[in-house]
Amino acid sequence: MIVFFALLPAYFLSIFYRSFLSVIAGPVMTDLAIGPREFGLLGAAWFTTFAIAQFPIGWALDRLGPRRTVTAAMAIGSVGAILFAQATGAVSGTLAMALIGIGCAPIFMASLFLFARTAEPARFAFLTSVFIGLGSLGNLVGAAPLAIAAARFGWRPSMLVMAGCFLLATALAALLIRDPVRAESASGKAEGLLAGLASILKLRPLWLLAPITLTAYAILATARGLWVGPYMASVHGFDAVSAGNAATAMAVTMVAGAFIYGGFEKALGRVKPLVFWGTLGTAACFALLAAFGAGSSLIAVALFALIGAVGFTYAILMAHARLFFPAHLLGRGMTAVNFLFIAGAALTQSGSGWFIASQRAAGLDAATTFAHLHWAFAGLLLVSAAIYAFTPERPKA
C-alpha cells in the first residue's frame, strides 16, 4: 500500500526519536550539564508536545487531510532535529525535543487514518501491527548502532545525520500521501474541534480504556527510551556499547511483539484478551526484574527483552479503541486515544526522572532505586488491567 511507502520512513524516525536517549544518556547529560531530573524532562518534552498536538492534528486529519497535516508538522520537526544536534544546555535541548515531538505527532495517526478509510475494517489491526512492527526497527537503530556511532563519531554528528533523514522523510511524505474523500456526520454536518471532542467524551467505553491507555505504552516507552541503558550501566557496570546492546535486545523483541500480537489478533479475531493477559504478563516481568534483576545481568537483559515482547500491546489496544468511533470522528477519535498513550508517556518519563533523583538524593543505591521504580511500574499495570477487564469487547449493536 502507498501508506507504507509514504509514511513508514517517517514513522521509523518517530520511533527512533522516542527511544534513543537512553543509549546516549551519559554523553548527553555530560555535554548539557544536566542530571537525572533534567534528563527525564528532556525525554518528556518530546512526549508532551506530541500529546498536546494530537487534538489539533485530529481535527486537521478530518478536515484538511493527512497530506497537509503531516507535511507542515514534519517541517517543524526537522528544525527541532537540527537544533538538538547543536544543543548547548537543558533549555535548548528541551526545546529541540519539543519541536521534534510536534514533527512526529501526526505520522502514526495519519497512517491509521488512511488504513481506516481505505482498507477493510477486519484488516485494520493487522495492518496497524505490521506498520508498527516495521517502524519499530527505528528502535534498533536507536540502540546498539547509535551507541557505536556515538562512540566513534560523537553523539552530535550522529544526531545531525538523523536530522538529515528527517528532512528526506518529510519530502517523501509530501510527495506520496494522497488524501481520502472527507467524511461527514450522520446529520450531514461537519463537527468542529470542540464539538467533535465532546462527542468523543460521550463514548463511555473509552473511559474504561483510559487507564490502560495511559499506562501500558508509557511504562514500556519509559523503560526502553530512558532507563534500560542507565540501569545496565549503574547496576551491572556495562559500558555504553554493552548497554546499547541490552537496549537492542529489548528493541528487537518489541518489533517481534508487534508482529506476534498482530498475528494472534488475525487468528483469534479478538483483541481484549490479548491486551488483558499481555498487560498482566508485563506486570509480572517488572516484578521479577525488581526482585531479581540486580542479581544477574543475564536475567536483567532477558527480562527487559521479555517486557519488550509481551508489553507491546499498543497496536491492538488502538484497534480496540477504533471500534467505538464513527467515520466522521475517526481522526479526532484516534488522536484522542493517542493523546492518552503519549501523555501517559510524558508523565511517566518526567515522573520517573524525579523519582530516581529523589531516591538517589535519599541515599539509596542504584539497584534499590531501580527496584522501587520497577515495583511501581508493576503496580500501575495491575490496576490498569483490572479496570480494563470491565471494558466491552465491541460496541453494542
Side-chain angles (χ1 to χ4, degrees), residues 206 209-218 317 321 337-338 340-342 344 384:
L206 296 184
L209 277 163
I212 200 168
T213 307
L214 276 168
T215 57
Y217 174 72
L317 187 52
V337 173
N338 206 40
L340 296 178
F341 278 120
I342 303 303
S384 300

